[in-house]
Amino acid sequence: MKFTASSPEFNPYAAPLSDLDEPASDLYRIISTRVSLGEYRRLAAGLVSFLIVAFFRVFRVPAPFFFPFGFTRPRRLDLIEFDHLPPHIRNHWEGPLAEFEALGLHPAFAYSLPVTGSLKEAFAIILRADDGRLHGSLSYLRNQVGANTKEVVAATASSRLTDGQRVATSNARPFLNPPPEYQVRHLTGFSVKEVLSSHLEWVASMDRTPEPIAEDELPDAIIRSEQRHIDFQIERGVLAPMTAREARRLAKLSDAGPPQPATRLGKIATFLGKLEWIGMSGLLLWLLLIFSNSTDAPRGAVDRFDITLGFLGVVFALKAARFLLRKIDRHRSKTSHADSVS
């Protein structure tokens, strides 16, 4: 595989460089009250999760804690040679890359994107058909909150039509709405072959044809696409510039290095986090029951107050226990690292 050469000193785990004393003009945060209910529904892991975020959205209560990460509007692509990619990413991409190549798409270049907050790694590889009318991409994202790590690999097939419209088919989960000139179909969980086949059938059914993109024009087309998606979210008010203070807070969440196995304390803290989420869900449903004036709710104000206080007490106790375990776990990790160095 041939890729644009990168510096031999390239470190894929290096923290993103940004002068936090300057306005973080390229860093953006999500305005939770501007995200639509449809987008929240796609984001939520289940019905209970959706009801919780919907409660905040309907009553326009800011909930920045739902998004412990930021968005970056890239100014350029940081191209990377395939051999310089972290081994675990090459392993994740090995099978899908072979599928793409068997279907006639070949790697053009790989690149990384800046990361902030809970998003620890973001890489992509672009593939191209010989005629330049069909393109593919593989992405890798790693999110980590505490000991909870989630890795996502997604495959996409895309074409640029003669009228300027972009059409794409992806097996990634949808989240934010795309710009109006982008038509995206999501086939979550489908294989590379199924994604590509569906995309070709979809394009063939249109009255417009894909136009070729020359190989040397492809990096510029990709960076313009990345910027257009960010610009569209800024236009609709979903993204707003991040302040230097917010950037510093997110920088503290950023780490450097591949995924690490969860410790025993980390696993317990993660479990307590799930219990805390269940407690918050119960509290929300209880409040909805009270406000609905259901006959099933206790009529006495004292009974309602006691039950509400009980929910709050349980949630607070779980949160405090989880915070304490995280602190002990971080202290042990630092002590262990110091001992290994010495």
Side-chain angles (χ1 to χ4, degrees), residues 76-97:
R76 65 182 186 280
L77 290 182
D78 290 325
L79 303 182
I80 310 168
E81 289 189 15
F82 187 78
D83 290 340
H84 288 170
L85 288 167
H88 64 280
I89 296 177
R90 297 201 302 269
N91 291 338
H92 277 297
W93 282 352
E94 183 178 3
L97 272 178

Side-chain angles (χ1 to χ4, degrees), residues 63-219:
F65 43 83
F66 288 149
F67 305 102
F69 52 87
F71 282 80
T72 303
R73 186 184 188 278
R75 299 180 181 180
R76 65 182 186 280
L77 290 182
D78 290 325
L79 303 182
I80 310 168
E81 289 189 15
F82 187 78
D83 290 340
H84 288 170
L85 288 167
H88 64 280
I89 296 177
R90 297 201 302 269
N91 291 338
H92 277 297
W93 282 352
E94 183 178 3
L97 272 178
E99 286 189 72
F100 265 125
E101 294 193 88
L103 296 168
L105 276 77
H106 306 289
F109 58 87
Y111 64 96
S112 67
L113 289 171
V115 294
T116 59
S118 64
L119 180 61
K120 307 304 183 185
E121 292 179 299
F123 293 87
I125 185 170
I126 303 299
L127 302 99
R128 180 180 181 271
D130 291 337
D131 63 3
R133 299 177 187 273
L134 176 66
H135 303 92
S137 69
L138 281 172
S139 61
Y140 172 90
L141 301 176
R142 178 170 67 91
N143 279 280
Q144 184 172 344
V145 179
N148 188 19
T149 297
K150 183 177 182 180
E151 297 174 289
V152 178
V153 176
T156 301
S158 61
S159 304
R160 186 174 69 185
L161 305 182
T162 51
D163 63 354
Q165 288 280 316
R166 274 78 164 170
V167 291
T169 306
S170 176
N171 61 9
R173 283 185 62 188
F175 177 27
L176 295 178
N177 296 330
E181 67 271 23
Y182 285 78
Q183 299 180 55
V184 185
R185 295 200 308 180
H186 291 273
L187 306 176
T188 306
F190 281 49
S191 68
V192 169
K193 184 177 181 180
E194 291 169 326
V195 167
L196 194 55
S197 222
S198 176
H199 181 77
L200 291 174
E201 290 176 5
W202 184 29
V203 172
S205 68
M206 298 178 177
D207 56 2
R208 297 152 294 171
T209 57
E211 64 176 4
I213 302 177
E215 188 168 1
D216 59 348
E217 297 175 358
L218 197 50

Side-chain angles (χ1 to χ4, degrees), residues 33-90:
T33 55
R34 299 303 298 269
V35 178
S36 70
L37 287 175
E39 290 168 319
Y40 272 129
R41 182 66 189 95
R42 297 195 294 264
L43 174 67
L47 179 60
V48 174
S49 300
F50 171 66
L51 290 176
I52 292 175
V53 296
F55 176 84
F56 283 87
R57 175 63 180 84
V58 169
F59 291 98
R60 303 190 64 81
V61 178
F65 43 83
F66 288 149
F67 305 102
F69 52 87
F71 282 80
T72 303
R73 186 184 188 278
R75 299 180 181 180
R76 65 182 186 280
L77 290 182
D78 290 325
L79 303 182
I80 310 168
E81 289 189 15
F82 187 78
D83 290 340
H84 288 170
L85 288 167
H88 64 280
I89 296 177
R90 297 201 302 269

